Amino acid sequence: MSASRRRITSYCIAPLALAGALVGANANAQTDRIDALGPTHQRPESPQNFSIEFRVGLYKPSVDSDPSLGGGTPYATVFGTSPLIEIGGEFSWEALRIPHFGTLGPGIGIGFANASGDALFTALHNGTFQSGEKTSLLMVPAYGIAVLRADALWREIGIPLEPYAKAGIGFALWRASNTLGTSTYEGVSGTGYSLGTFLAVGIGFNLNVFDRYTAMNFDDEMGINATYLFVEGTREDLSGLGIQSDPLRVGSTNWTFGLNLEF
Amino acid sequence: MLNLSFVMLHRRTAWRPSSYVVAAVALAALFASSRAFAQTTTTTTSTLSIQIAGQAYPERYLNYGLSNQQDLGQSTRPQGLNPFGISYQDCIDDQTLLFPLLLSGFDGQSLEVWATVAGDCTNDQDRGNPGPANCWLLSSGANTTGLVSGASEQINVPVRVQDIVAWQNLSPSPTSYVRAGPSACNAQPSFTPVSITLYFIPVLSDLYQAGNNYQYNVNTGLVGPEAPLNVGIADGDTLFIVNWTPNNDSVTIGYNLYIDPPIGTTPDASSSVLSLVCDTPDGTTATAVTSASISLDASGEPDGADDAAELTGDGASVASDAQTDAQIDATIGDATVSDATSSDGASSMEASCHYAYISGAAGNPASGTCNDSNLTAGTTQDAATEFFEEAGVDGEVVTTGTNVSGGISQVASKYAVPVSEDGLNASGEGTGTFTIKGLTNGVTYTVVVSAVDAFGNVGPPSNEACDYPAPVNDFWTLYREAGGQAGGLCALEAVGAPVSSTVAFGAVGAICIGLARRRRRGRR
């Protein structure tokens, strides 16, 4: 090959190589971005160690299920049978990552629900049993649980769903009151706590799938790795845990909805 | 006068030297005399002054000048209730405001005190000198006539509240002092406060103002707000929840409630009858028992023994089952007619009854129509004309008036529901409910509500609402009576359980915050 020909060849190759390098770099950049946001999570992301939930539940205290009431239904008589709105929150630590499955860690949660109704006259009064006095039952259910989340569906397969399960100890503080303050019956005040178990299974839908760019920014700016809308079947059985006799059964079996942020 | 002299001098055309000398001397004399006059005038007006001494507000007195004079201080009301204004109560108490004034420069003038709503009492005409007056005379103090030029002296000038407010709607105002009476406290035709300015004026013997004056503004509110509407009662256990439609005016700041019989008192046996009142079995209307045998103990209350009652109610459903005999187990306020059978044996009858002190004729239902004269006393300021005919003792009578709402409650204070520190039962114009506690179940009470303004004026009472409190079962009672065993956390509180749980929650929160902070540092 002559020198001139080699020179011409080199002139041709150089632009091609440059073009190829540019294309390659661009393709590599695209791959990085896609991978970073995609299900395989090639992009370096912020560490994920915690989860926080904002919860709204349809709370139905099972007070009347207490055998000591002998079939009586004081709760339903006063407050009716419609569910209450429970507002709550939960925080969990994703302490252990299980390869190709998800995370496992402890968590705590607390909620707030209030039942209110008209107190009833002991005898017919002006043609009605319904008095003008209010009576209420304030409940603050809380729990300590272990949380198992299967986020490998999203991370490794790309399905934006996260099944999860929770199990642990339930606890609730409660207070019965009327217009004059805390209720009292024969010297026993209407305040107490109840112990029991807490179980829940649910599934979260990963909202990152709708806008990956925003999700990436959310992670960069706030450290939020994933945002889920979830629905959960919750069962809090506050019947004493075998160590508390005759607690007020303010536990509930109900649906809970909410928003879960993992960070 | 000086200008006139100059004109006269310049018009002369023939002048001799002597004339110049004379003219110069005359001019100098005129100039000197006019200067001296000007100096005298300036001295008089600049040194004659009136100032309030020592305190910004006048002291208030009852029975001022009498042996039983009582110093009330500068106000009788809390700061929130317009303490330096004049309320109806201030007026009806015949308070006297004592102004400590520091006078100087008086030389034969006398001090007069005038008042006006919209006039200017420094204007001689507004004091009727001459013409119809817009100011009325409160005091013409002779104490100042002896003061000599340049001297300073403090004097106390008393002004009666009733004199201040009496003539605010009279036109023309009285220019001679007329001592007003208690009816002056009805002078204000509306619950809208009126600002009255007092003028302390030095006047000459010919009644013309002769120097500086001192002015003092005082707000007057003599009419309480309108009564709230639609007062009703929701009954509870030893309590009433009283509801009403809140006022929508510019003066109401809260509400006071009145109840008869007063809380904690025994109903007046002379005007009340202990009666057994039953509700009809079908829950339609309250029905009075017109014939009942009630055994009473020494204290006058049902003794709890079984008694025979004859139910002859006036409700339709009861009437068909008239002449029912029943066994009654009762304590006051709570009775149950059990195992009742109508005399015809056709049907059994369960009725809910209670004992109640009923005012008036037997058979008056415990709720519904009520007529308690103790709580209906109040003035409604809808007859302004009547006031002026009464108060116009000097013959100046106004025959027109504006019909307005509002007024002053005359309900005796013993019926007042105890108020909070701000002097109100319910604070805020928009408030429409208040719970009266400490009642006796089964006793029929009558309740009225009055609106209160920023002067502490209590407006006329509302419509009456009457009912009786009765025992109720709240959730807790039903739960425990059904056999529930929970409760009594107070015992646990004593050993610190709630505290430990709170600490646990707080610790977890602190851990979370710490972890989040550490993580943010790691990302930097």
Side-chain angles (χ1 to χ4, degrees):
Chain A
M1 188 179 290
S2 65
S4 62
R5 192 171 178 183
R6 283 199 302 273
R7 195 176 300 120
I8 293 170
T9 303
S10 60
Y11 283 135
C12 294
I13 291 173
L16 287 174
L18 180 61
L22 287 173
V23 170
N26 189 36
N28 189 40
Q30 286 180 349
T31 301
D32 280 347
R33 174 146 297 191
I34 291 170
D35 286 344
L37 301 170
T40 56
H41 277 244
Q42 295 299 310
R43 176 184 68 88
E45 61 175 343
S46 64
Q48 178 179 316
N49 295 309
F50 302 103
S51 169
I52 188 168
E53 290 183 359
F54 302 96
R55 301 160 60 87
V56 178
L58 301 175
Y59 202 75
K60 292 190 291 186
S62 53
V63 172
D64 293 341
S65 68
D66 187 347
S68 66
L69 297 177
T73 57
Y75 181 89
T77 300
V78 176
F79 303 123
T81 57
S82 299
L84 310 173
I85 299 296
E86 180 202 16
I87 306 295
E90 180 185 303
F91 178 83
S92 61
W93 176 24
E94 297 176 347
L96 176 65
R97 175 157 290 282
I98 305 170
H100 309 299
F101 182 80
T103 62
L104 177 64
I108 58 169
I110 191 168
F112 171 90
N114 187 54
S116 181
D118 294 327
L120 302 177
F121 285 117
T122 57
L124 205 59
H125 181 278
N126 294 339
T128 180
F129 281 98
Q130 195 172 47
S131 79
E133 192 171 345
K134 292 291 182 185
T135 179
S136 63
L137 177 62
L138 171 67
M139 293 156 283
V140 184
Y143 49 84
I145 50 174
V147 184
L148 179 65
R149 296 184 184 276
D151 62 359
L153 282 178
W154 167 248
R155 288 178 169 273
E156 300 189 9
I157 304 177
I159 299 174
L161 297 175
E162 183 191 67
Y164 64 86
K166 305 170 182 174
I169 303 299
F171 171 85
L173 291 168
W174 47 264
R175 173 178 178 256
S177 62
N178 54 36
T179 303
L180 297 176
T182 300
S183 299
T184 301
Y185 179 83
E186 294 182 348
V188 179
S189 69
T191 57
Y193 71 98
S194 303
L195 286 172
T197 58
F198 182 96
L199 295 172
V201 293
I203 188 165
F205 179 77
N206 194 328
L207 298 179
N208 289 12
V209 72
F210 290 120
D211 190 338
R212 298 181 175 192
Y213 184 74
T214 300
M216 183 184 70
N217 284 338
F218 203 28
D219 188 19
D220 288 343
E221 297 294 326
M222 303 291 293
I224 306 295
N225 301 87
T227 305
Y228 295 92
L229 280 178
F230 68 87
V231 58
E232 174 185 301
T234 309
R235 174 176 172 76
E236 194 166 19
D237 180 12
L238 301 178
S239 56
L241 204 61
I243 58 175
Q244 185 185 25
S245 60
D246 301 315
L248 186 67
R249 301 195 175 198
V250 294
S252 168
T253 300
N254 58 272
W255 292 106
T256 302
F257 309 89
L259 188 69
N260 176 26
L261 306 176
E262 292 188 341
F263 57 98
Chain B
M1 189 172 178
L2 283 172
N3 291 339
L4 184 60
S5 300
F6 276 116
V7 171
M8 292 176 67
L9 286 170
H10 283 291
R11 291 184 64 181
R12 295 183 179 178
T13 55
W15 291 81
R16 289 178 295 186
S18 59
S19 300
Y20 286 120
V21 174
V22 171
V25 171
L27 184 60
L30 277 172
F31 183 75
S33 64
S34 65
R35 185 178 174 84
F37 178 77
Q39 284 179 341
T40 302
T41 304
T42 302
T43 301
T44 300
T45 55
S46 63
T47 56
L48 195 158
S49 65
I50 307 171
Q51 297 174 330
I52 193 161
Q55 58 191 55
Y57 301 99
E59 205 79 354
R60 294 172 181 240
Y61 285 88
L62 290 180
N63 306 313
Y64 181 76
L66 304 177
S67 58
N68 57 346
Q69 170 180 303
Q70 183 181 355
D71 187 348
L72 303 175
Q74 295 182 37
S75 175
T76 55
R77 288 186 296 278
Q79 287 295 326
L81 292 178
N82 208 335
F84 305 113
I86 292 175
S87 69
Y88 178 87
Q89 195 61 46
D90 297 340
C91 179
I92 208 68
D93 288 345
D94 195 14
Q95 287 186 8
T96 295
L97 307 184
L98 191 65
F99 290 87
L101 298 178
L102 187 63
L103 310 181
S104 61
F106 275 66
D107 186 13
Q109 300 88 350
S110 62
L111 178 70
E112 293 185 349
V113 187
W114 294 75
T116 184
V117 174
D120 177 4
C121 300
T122 63
N123 184 341
D124 293 331
Q125 267 196 334
D126 277 354
R127 299 199 311 276
N129 198 20
N134 290 319
C135 303
W136 59 94
L137 185 63
L138 300 178
S139 166
S140 55
N143 294 340
T144 58
T145 54
L147 293 177
V148 297
S149 176
S152 294
E153 184 173 341
Q154 179 177 327
I155 66 169
N156 292 323
V157 179
V159 179
R160 295 176 62 244
V161 163
Q162 292 177 356
D163 291 339
I164 293 174
V165 302
W167 316 111
Q168 55 183 284
N169 287 303
L170 195 60
S171 182
S173 301
T175 55
S176 58
Y177 174 70
V178 178
R179 182 183 174 87
S183 58
C185 306
N186 297 326
Q188 208 161 289
S190 165
F191 52 67
T192 303
V194 175
S195 177
I196 296 178
T197 304
L198 308 187
Y199 286 80
F200 298 81
I201 304 173
V203 295
L204 298 170
S205 56
D206 56 6
L207 301 181
Y208 285 90
Q209 182 183 348
N212 296 330
N213 65 87
Y214 169 73
Q215 297 175 18
Y216 181 84
N217 288 317
V218 59
N219 282 322
T220 64
L222 306 179
V223 181
E226 293 179 280
L229 303 175
N230 304 319
V231 174
I233 295 173
D235 308 313
D237 195 343
T238 67
L239 59 84
F240 281 160
I241 298 110
V242 183
N243 301 296
W244 60 89
T245 302
N247 282 7
N248 183 22
D249 53 44
S250 59
V251 297
T252 298
I253 65 163
Y255 303 88
N256 281 353
L257 284 77
Y258 297 84
I259 188 167
D260 185 24
I263 299 172
T265 62
T266 303
D268 183 3
S270 63
S271 61
S272 302
V273 178
L274 182 63
S275 306
L276 184 66
V277 180
C278 294
D279 294 334
T280 56
D282 60 358
T284 51
T285 58
T287 304
V289 174
T290 55
S291 174
S293 172
I294 306 170
S295 299
L296 304 180
D297 59 20
S299 63
E301 296 191 353
D303 60 4
D306 287 353
D307 299 307
E310 190 173 48
L311 296 172
T312 55
D314 54 4
S317 61
V318 177
S320 62
D321 294 320
Q323 302 297 318
T324 299
D325 295 325
Q327 296 297 314
I328 300 176
D329 297 308
T331 57
I332 188 167
D334 179 17
T336 300
V337 179
S338 59
D339 299 328
T341 304
S342 61
S343 59
D344 58 9
S347 61
S348 72
M349 186 170 171
E350 297 284 345
S352 298
C353 306
H354 72 283
Y355 289 101
Y357 288 96
I358 303 295
S359 299
N364 186 32
S367 62
T369 304
C370 35
N371 183 22
D372 188 335
S373 59
N374 293 328
L375 300 183
T376 55
T379 62
T380 300
Q381 194 72 3
D382 57 0
T385 302
E386 182 181 349
F387 155 68
F388 289 118
E389 289 175 349
E390 179 187 354
V393 291
D394 59 349
E396 297 176 283
V397 177
V398 172
T399 55
T400 59
T402 304
N403 289 340
V404 296
S405 299
I408 293 292
S409 170
Q410 302 293 342
V411 176
S413 59
K414 70 176 182 177
Y415 299 108
V417 175
V419 298
S420 56
E421 288 182 358
D422 62 1
L424 301 166
N425 286 131
S427 298
E429 183 180 28
T431 306
T433 186
F434 181 77
T435 300
I436 303 177
K437 302 172 184 175
L439 307 181
T440 302
N441 285 339
V443 174
T444 298
Y445 294 89
T446 302
V447 174
V448 295
V449 183
S450 288
V452 183
D453 68 12
F455 290 83
N457 293 317
V458 180
S462 67
N463 64 289
E464 296 172 274
C466 52
D467 215 325
Y468 63 93
V472 301
N473 286 330
D474 63 1
F475 162 74
W476 188 241
T477 301
L478 291 177
Y479 169 79
R480 293 289 299 190
E481 287 185 342
Q485 298 298 312
L489 184 62
C490 292
L492 291 173
E493 286 173 347
V495 297
V499 175
S500 62
S501 61
T502 303
V503 170
F505 282 121
V508 170
I511 291 170
C512 295
I513 293 171
L515 287 173
R517 289 172 62 89
R518 194 182 70 172
R519 182 174 174 281
R520 289 186 62 185
R521 283 197 299 271
R523 285 171 56 84
R524 285 175 183 165

